[in-house]
Amino acid sequence: MDLDGTILGDATVRSKINPEDTSDLVIGEALEASNLGIKRDDILDLVGTGYGRTRILGADENISEISCHAMGVHVANPGVRTIIDIGGQDIKAISLDDDGQVSNFAMNDKCA
């Protein structure tokens, strides 16, 4: 994304055994998809999320999936108050307040 929030490039890859390898691969593919000649050194802020968020090489910070869902949904549609995420590892139900902050959440501990 650029500083205005425009998505410049994106990529989806299959997870590798090593999360570091997966993050390097997907970041490289997203940069290439931008077709702008952007290099990894050009990235100003890199945030990791999800279960492997602490294993992304060079990440400036890591944020839980729950917080990322809340931020993203609130930006996309500020009127949303409930998020249900049915994933491969778990299921999350997230309640948001008027400011898009997580007011409550519940998740299972079994594969979805």
Side-chain angles (χ1 to χ4, degrees):
M1 295 177 74
D2 65 13
L3 295 175
D4 295 322
T6 302
I7 296 173
L8 301 177
D10 67 282
T12 302
V13 301
R14 290 189 178 271
S15 294
K16 309 296 179 200
I17 292 172
N18 182 324
E20 290 90 350
D21 292 343
T22 304
S23 67
D24 279 345
L25 177 62
V26 75
I27 291 167
E29 287 192 14
L31 292 173
E32 187 175 315
S34 76
N35 293 317
L36 298 171
I38 302 170
K39 305 289 182 220
R40 186 154 182 162
D41 289 343
D42 297 326
I43 297 173
L44 299 177
D45 195 26
L46 181 63
V47 177
T49 186
Y51 288 101
R53 68 183 176 264
T54 61
R55 299 187 60 191
I56 296 177
L57 300 174
D60 298 296
E61 62 181 306
N62 61 70
I63 301 173
S64 76
E65 280 181 281
I66 293 166
S67 295
C68 284
H69 286 338
M71 286 182 236
V73 167
H74 184 69
V75 167
N77 188 340
V80 171
R81 296 292 172 264
T82 304
I83 302 166
I84 299 175
D85 172 19
I86 302 172
Q89 299 291 328
D90 56 37
I91 298 173
K92 299 173 193 70
I94 307 165
S95 295
L96 306 180
D97 66 15
D98 292 343
D99 297 321
Q101 299 296 310
V102 176
S103 59
N104 199 1
F105 75 93
M107 60 187 281
N108 69 344
D109 61 353
K110 306 284 187 241
C111 181

